[in-house]
Amino acid sequence: MDVQQMIFMFAGGLGIFLFGLKFMGDGLQKSAGDSLRSILNQMTSTPIRAIIAGIVVTVLIQSSSGTTVLAVGLVSAGFMKLKQAIGVIMGANIGTTITAFIIGIDIGAYALPIMAIGAFLLFFSKNITVNSIGQIIFGFGALFYGLELMGEGMYPLRDFPAFRELMIDMGDNPILGVGVGTIFTWLVQSSSGSIGILQELYSQGQIAIDGALPVLFGNNIGTTITAVLAAIGASVAAKRTAASHIIFNLVGTFAVLLVIGPFTSLIVAITPIFNLNPPMQIAVAHGLFNVTNVLIQMWFIDYLAKIVTKIVPGDDALIEYDASHLDFSIITTVPSVALNQAKLEIQQMGDFVLEEYKEMFKYYKNQDDTSLSNTLQLEEVVNDIDMRLTEYLMLISVEDLPVKSSTEHSQMMDITKYLERIGDHSENILNNIKEAARAQKKLAKKTNKEPEKIFYDEDLIALFNLVEQNIADSITSFTQDSYSLAGKVIKREKEVNRLEEDIRKKYIERLNRGTGLPSDGILFVDIVSNLERMSDHSVKIAKHSLGIRYPFQQDSKRPRHARKIEEVTETK
C-alpha cells in the first residue's frame, strides 16, 4: 500500500468514524427528546447529582465536548452556577469512557450488516421512534466501519522507522506521549476519535502499553479546547467554567503521571483476570483513570471554583436566575401555593424582560458589542423561562382551583405570553439597529466619512423612555397588586400613541424631502411599531392588574379602585 492510499484510507475512515459517532449521538438525542437541557438544569442541585447528570447527558449524546458546551451555555445564561457546572464536567469525563468500551467490543466484521439494518429502519419506516433507532444503529455500524478503515490505513505504519521510534520514545518519555495525545485530540476535535485510533494502534501491536497510556491521558487535555472555544465571547462565568475544565483535566493527568508505573502494572495485572482484548484494555484504563480522577477531585469543587474565580476576575452579575420558584412537587398537593410560586417566577421573568429592554436601548445609543451580547443572552433566558412557566401553569390547570385562583391562573398565562412578546420585540428592534448600523458602516467606508448615529431622534428617545416606564410599572402593578401604577400605565399609553404618530409623520416628511434612504425609513418605522406594541402589551398587563382586561369582567367583580382609575383615564 502506497502513502497516498494510506492517507486516503485513514482520513476516510476517520471521517466515517466521526460521522457515525455524531449520527449515533443525534439518534440518541432524538430518542431522549428535549430533555437534555432539562436534565442539566434540574438535576444539578448537589455535586453528586451534577456528576450523574453529566454522565447521563454524555452517554446520550456521545460527546463530552457537547455536554461541556451545554454546561457553558447554561452558566452563561444564568441557569447554572459555576460549582454545578464543574460537577457536570466531571461527570462528562466519566460518560465519555462509554465510547471506548463500545469500541472495545470486537464486531468490526459485522459493521456493514449493522449499517444495512439501520438504513432499512431509516428509509422504510415513517415512525419517528423507529427512525431514531435506525439512526442509532446506522451510526453504531458506521463507527466500527470507520475504525476498520483506519486500522487498514495505519497497519503499514509499522514499516516506517520514524514511526517505530516515536512509539518507543513515548514509552520512555510519558510527557511526550501526553503531548502527542493532546495535539492529536485538538486536531481531530474528538477525544473518542483519538482514543479509537489509539485502540487500533495498540491492537495491531504498533504501540506498547507504556506508550499508549500517556497518549490516552493526553486526550483528556486535548478535549478541553472545545470548552475554550465555546467560552470565547461568552460571560465571565462561562470562561470560568472552561477554565475549570482545563484545570480539572490538567491536575488529573499530571497526578496519574506521578504513579504511571503502578497504574500500568495494575492494567497489565487485571487483563488476564477479565480476559481483556487490547481495545478493551485501553477502555478499562480510560474508565479507571477518569472515575478515580472524579472520585478524588469531587471533594475539592469549592476550591476549584475559588481558583478559577481568581484566575478569571470580573463581575458577572448580569443574570442571576433563581430556579427555586417552580416546585413541581407541590402542584398536586397544594395548587394554590404553586400558583403563588408561579407569580414569583413571573416577577423574575419581568425583571429579565425589563433588563433586556434596557440593554437593547443601550445598544441603540452606543452600538456596542457588550449590549448586543447581553440583549441576546437575556432573550434566551426569557424564552427559557416562558417555556418552563407555561408548562408549570398548564400542569396547575388540571387541578381543582377555586374561582378566584382560576382567574389568577388565566391572568398568569396571558401575562407570561405578553412578557415573552415584549422580549421578542426587543430582539426585533436590536436586529433592525444592527442591520442599519451595518449599512451605515458600509456607506461611511465608501464616502470616507465617520459613521453617523443610527436613527438618532429626540422624540424616539422620549418614546423609548416612556415604553420602558410602562413595562416597569405594568410588571410592578401585577406583582404588587398596585392599582395606581396600573392606572399610570393606561394614562401613559395615550402619550405613547401620540408620540408614535408624530414620529411616523416626521420621518415620512423627511423621506419626502429626499433626506435619508428608503430602506432606513422601513427599519425606523419598524422600530417605532415594535415600541408601540411593547407598550400595548404593557397596557394589557396593567388591565389584568385592574381586572378590566376582558369585556366579561363586570363592574361588580372589579375592585373599587379599578373602577375609579378607569373613570379617570376615560375623562383625560
Side-chain angles (χ1 to χ4, degrees), residues 5-19 142 145-147 149-150:
Q5 270 185 299
M6 287 171 56
I7 293 171
F8 284 3
M9 193 167 283
F10 174 77
L14 178 61
I16 292 171
F17 175 88
L18 293 175
F19 169 77
Y145 183 60
L147 271 176
L149 288 178
M150 281 194 292

Side-chain angles (χ1 to χ4, degrees), residues 12-29:
L14 178 61
I16 292 171
F17 175 88
L18 293 175
F19 169 77
L21 191 65
K22 174 132 190 353
F23 204 59
M24 182 171 69
D26 289 345
L28 286 164
Q29 193 168 345

